[in-house]
């Protein structure tokens, strides 16, 4: 009788755990559903020679100089909409969802390395018929932009690095990686996150990169969450993090090759990649100018869009030969 009772309790506990697990599982969201939601004009899809279907936006002044902008890890081209609104009167703004992100999603060959993404960017720009442009990137996208610049120096007129990756470093106790990033950095966490991705986890990740979390709206979290669950993106993220090497200096050693004007922009309250890294970029790229934002975190283009876009406008006016060099304060 006691044995039967114990097995009965065990069965109930197991059943409860199964119910909880099933409730926590989130399946991928089909392409058509999210394209209808997040690919309004000027979005377009470009089929690339390698087989990828790239989600791209080209907007702004059709006669203006081209400014290509690359988003960060687990973000999308949507992160640049504030700058597109601010700078579109003078520049042709090109944004895209990088492989394994946004509505581009997984790509044939599953190459989610920095070099692979730079090659993807070149395929897109060749398809668009754009062979000379300024390029900028945030976080992971900054590393891709720098990689593109050293790989294609003849195509880049200026480089903008926003809280950029690309230089290996030792992590300090002050750095606070979002829980999602911590989980993605472990093999067990990647397996779990492939199917269990609570909205609260995504919300924590988005809020952690802002100095002022109150600027993060429910709609913003919804977008990040939906695009995280886009068909194939979580698998691609797992592959990307599995292949990440923190001590890889293959890009850092090539940064001195960059000869074009460079603007390094940083949020002083960035706890993901600290502002001290800005000085590390300048050490390797002596002509770089640095500007910091005391009230911004990891994404100043979203958190202080007017100020950061104004600094970009001044920098590009100089970099593309229109005005004198702007006076931007160096980081401390």
């Amino acid at each position: 009788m006691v044995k039967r009772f114990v097995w009965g309790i065990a069965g109930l506990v197991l059943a409860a755990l199964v119910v909880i697990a099933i409730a926590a599982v989130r399946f991928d969201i089909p392409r058509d559903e999210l394209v209808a939601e997040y690919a309004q004009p000027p979005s377009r899809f470009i089929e690339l020679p390698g087989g990828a279907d790239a989600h791209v936006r080209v907007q702004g002044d059709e006669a203006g100089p081209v400014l290509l902008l690359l988003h960060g890890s687990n973000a999308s081209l949507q992160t640049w909409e504030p700058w597109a609104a601010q700078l579109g009167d003078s520049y042709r703004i090109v944004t895209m969802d990088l492989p394994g992100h946004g509505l581009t999603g997984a790509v044939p060959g599953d190459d989610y390395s920095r070099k692979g993404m730079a090659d993807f960017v070149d395929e897109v720009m060749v398809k668009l018929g754009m062979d000379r442009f300024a390029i900028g990137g945030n976080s992971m996208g900054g590393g891709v932009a720098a990689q593109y610049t050293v790989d294609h120096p003849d195509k880049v007129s200026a480089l903008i690095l926003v809280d950029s990756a690309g230089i290996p470093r030792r992590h300090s106790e002050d750095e606070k990686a979002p829980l999602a990033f911590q989980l993605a950095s472990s093999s067990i966490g990647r397996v779990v996150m492939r199917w269990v991705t609570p909205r609260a986890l995504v919300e924590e990740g988005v809020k952690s990169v802002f100095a002022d979390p109150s600027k993060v709206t429910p709609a913003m979290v919804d977008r990040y969450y939906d695009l995280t669950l886009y068909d194939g993106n979580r698998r691609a993220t797992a592959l990307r993090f599995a292949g990440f090497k923190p001590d890889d200096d293959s890009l850092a050693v090539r940064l001195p090759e960059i000869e074009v004007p460079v603007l390094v922009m940083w949020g002083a309250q960035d706890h993901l990649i600290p502002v001290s890294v800005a000085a590390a970029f300048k050490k390797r790229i002596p002509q770089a100018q640095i500007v910091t934002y005391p009230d911004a975190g990891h994404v100043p283009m979203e958190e202080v869009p007017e100020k950061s876009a104004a600094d970009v406008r001044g920098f590009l006016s100089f970099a593309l030969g229109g005005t004198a060099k702007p006076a931007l304060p160096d980081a401390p």
Side-chain angles (χ1 to χ4, degrees):
M1 183 70 178
V2 173
K3 188 175 182 179
R4 184 181 301 175
F5 177 77
V6 171
W7 276 108
I9 293 297
L12 289 173
V13 171
L14 179 60
L17 290 174
V18 169
V19 170
I20 292 171
I22 292 174
V25 167
R26 294 292 181 270
F27 295 102
D28 288 348
I29 300 177
R31 170 187 169 90
D32 291 347
E33 183 176 334
L34 292 187
V35 166
E37 179 72 19
Y38 296 110
Q40 300 89 355
S43 283
R44 58 196 284 197
F45 289 87
I46 300 176
E47 186 175 349
L48 302 181
D53 198 16
H55 177 218
V56 178
R57 285 184 178 176
V58 182
Q59 53 191 313
D61 183 0
E62 293 185 5
V66 175
L67 172 60
L68 166 63
L69 298 169
L70 307 176
H71 63 77
S73 178
N74 298 97
S76 70
L77 57 71
Q78 302 271 358
T79 196
W80 297 111
E81 286 302 296
W83 274 15
Q86 294 289 322
L87 298 168
D89 63 326
S90 302
Y91 297 94
R92 195 69 167 148
I93 309 295
V94 179
T95 55
M96 66 184 74
D97 285 338
L98 292 169
H101 292 79
L103 297 176
T104 292
V107 296
D110 284 329
D111 188 351
Y112 305 109
S113 66
R114 180 186 296 133
K115 183 67 168 62
M117 290 190 181
D119 292 343
F120 171 93
V121 169
D122 194 53
E123 286 189 7
V124 172
M125 298 308 280
V126 168
K127 275 284 217 177
L128 290 174
M130 298 176 178
D131 56 10
R132 184 72 175 171
F133 43 85
I135 185 171
N138 169 241
S139 194
M140 176 194 76
V144 176
Q147 182 73 53
Y148 190 92
T149 302
V150 299
D151 287 348
H152 303 280
D154 56 318
K155 295 186 177 184
V156 175
S157 56
L159 173 63
I160 301 168
L161 300 175
V162 187
D163 296 68
S164 179
I167 295 180
R169 57 198 167 77
R170 292 183 179 179
H171 292 261
S172 71
E173 294 181 358
D174 293 334
E175 295 178 55
K176 302 173 184 175
L179 179 57
F181 279 32
Q182 296 178 45
L183 290 172
S185 298
S186 73
S187 56
I188 295 176
R190 288 192 290 271
V191 172
V192 172
M193 288 184 65
R194 175 65 183 88
W195 298 108
V196 180
T197 311
R199 185 182 184 279
L201 186 70
V202 174
E203 182 175 8
E204 184 269 341
V206 177
K207 287 184 175 180
S208 71
V209 298
F210 278 71
D212 181 2
S214 69
K215 293 183 178 180
V216 177
T217 66
M220 186 185 300
V221 176
D222 286 343
R223 185 183 73 236
Y224 271 90
Y225 183 59
D226 288 347
L227 295 177
T228 294
L229 268 58
Y230 180 75
D231 191 13
N233 276 353
R234 285 181 292 178
R235 176 180 171 276
T237 297
L239 291 171
R240 176 165 55 87
F241 273 89
F244 177 67
K245 299 177 181 178
D247 58 350
D248 178 14
D249 66 349
S250 58
L251 172 60
V253 298
R254 295 191 63 191
L255 292 176
E257 299 175 22
I258 296 174
E259 297 181 349
V260 295
V262 176
L263 177 62
V264 177
M265 315 175 77
W266 229 276
Q269 297 188 53
D270 187 344
H271 298 296
L272 187 59
I273 306 179
V275 68
S276 59
V277 177
F281 273 104
K282 184 169 178 60
K283 182 177 180 180
R284 291 164 175 79
I285 313 173
Q287 76 274 22
Q289 288 185 278
I290 300 176
V291 60
T292 59
Y293 302 96
D295 299 326
H298 190 60
V299 287
M301 67 283 189
E302 290 196 67
E303 195 158 16
V304 287
E306 294 85 2
K307 174 57 178 169
S308 58
D311 289 335
V312 168
R313 187 185 296 274
F315 167 73
L316 289 178
S317 294
F318 149 72
L320 303 181
T323 64
K325 186 174 182 178
L328 297 173
D330 279 353

